[in-house]
Amino acid sequence: MQAYMSEQRGGAGIEPEGILRDRAAAKFRSVMMEKKEQNSQKKMLTFLYTASTFLVLVILVRQAFLRNYESVFFCALTLALLYLPSLIQVKLRIELPPPLEITILCFIFAAEILGEVNAFYVVVPNWDTMLHTLNGFLCAAIGFSLVDLFNRNERFSLSLSPVFMAIVAFCFSMTIGVLWEFFECIMDSFFLLDMQKD
């Protein structure tokens, strides 16, 4: 009781040393766990970049030997698209969350290599529907991330509400989807491709 009274008299509002030490230790553990998780996500991302690049190069060489030049083009396009997120991050000096980057890489591989080169659009039922659905969520996440980057950036004095951010993400996703359908229709009409698989 006397120790409590002397604490109250001596330092009003000052917490005992033990509690401060415990809070600092808990915060340190939390920061270390977060860093460990980020490191594991970055390792996963590096592995995914390496593995997907290797697979695409192997498929590209195989398609070149088979003289399937359309598939060679899709493989070259895939290689360019795989490194596009990294290029954007370097040029714009932003950092995309690793889970979003992993999802983008998987989507590119599924759409171009599995869908176009290996004909999953024709062989696997509802492959196109699944990718369109995934693309909607992916574009919404990218739109949300872009607005969030503006919100956090010190150069802009924006503070947008979560409802507005959700509306922007939805509109961004819908716009990308519509533009992609226009692109498919133009390619089918003018270049006699079958991107719409109809």
Side-chain angles (χ1 to χ4, degrees):
M1 185 70 174
Q2 279 184 330
Y4 176 76
M5 294 298 284
S6 65
E7 264 179 35
Q8 291 298 319
R9 269 187 252 117
I14 296 175
E15 294 184 28
E17 235 179 88
I19 293 175
L20 287 175
R21 210 172 323 132
D22 289 345
R23 283 190 183 166
K27 185 166 183 157
F28 177 75
R29 277 194 300 275
S30 168
V31 167
M32 291 308 291
M33 289 294 288
E34 192 176 315
K35 284 198 181 278
K36 190 176 180 182
E37 187 176 333
Q38 284 176 349
N39 285 340
S40 101
Q41 287 176 346
K42 286 185 179 180
K43 283 180 185 174
M44 174 71 172
L45 189 59
T46 304
F47 171 76
L48 198 59
Y49 266 121
T50 308
S52 57
T53 302
F54 176 75
L55 282 172
V56 172
L57 286 172
V58 168
I59 293 168
L60 187 142
V61 170
R62 181 177 182 274
Q63 295 302 321
F65 277 121
L66 294 172
R67 296 174 193 255
N68 188 351
Y69 298 116
E70 186 180 348
S71 293
V72 170
F73 167 74
F74 279 120
C75 289
L77 177 66
T78 303
L79 285 173
L81 290 174
L82 285 176
Y83 287 93
L84 191 63
S86 297
L87 186 67
I88 289 171
Q89 289 182 86
V90 170
K91 291 289 182 187
L92 298 179
R93 287 187 228 118
I94 59 172
E95 186 160 347
L96 294 174
L100 179 62
E101 235 180 311
I102 289 169
T103 308
I104 291 170
L105 294 179
C106 291
F107 177 79
I108 291 168
F109 191 84
E112 297 300 325
I113 299 301
L114 298 178
E116 292 292 344
V117 176
N118 292 323
F120 273 35
Y121 286 122
V122 179
V123 176
V124 178
N126 298 321
W127 185 259
D128 192 42
T129 306
M130 181 192 71
L131 284 183
H132 274 78
T133 304
L134 181 62
N135 184 45
F137 287 113
L138 187 61
C139 286
I142 291 170
F144 189 84
S145 295
L146 289 174
V147 176
D148 189 45
L149 286 169
F150 283 128
N151 253 359
R152 293 181 188 194
N153 200 322
E154 294 160 5
R155 289 182 286 179
F156 302 102
S157 58
L158 292 175
S159 182
L160 305 174
S161 72
V163 173
F164 182 77
M165 288 176 69
I167 291 170
V168 169
F170 175 77
C171 291
F172 182 81
S173 174
M174 288 292 115
T175 304
I176 295 297
V178 169
L179 290 175
W180 179 254
E181 293 301 326
F182 284 166
F183 173 74
E184 283 184 345
C185 184
I186 289 167
M187 295 302 279
D188 289 355
S189 301
F190 294 107
F191 297 99
L192 304 176
L193 298 176
D194 188 23
M195 292 188 76
Q196 293 177 309
K197 303 291 184 272
D198 55 355

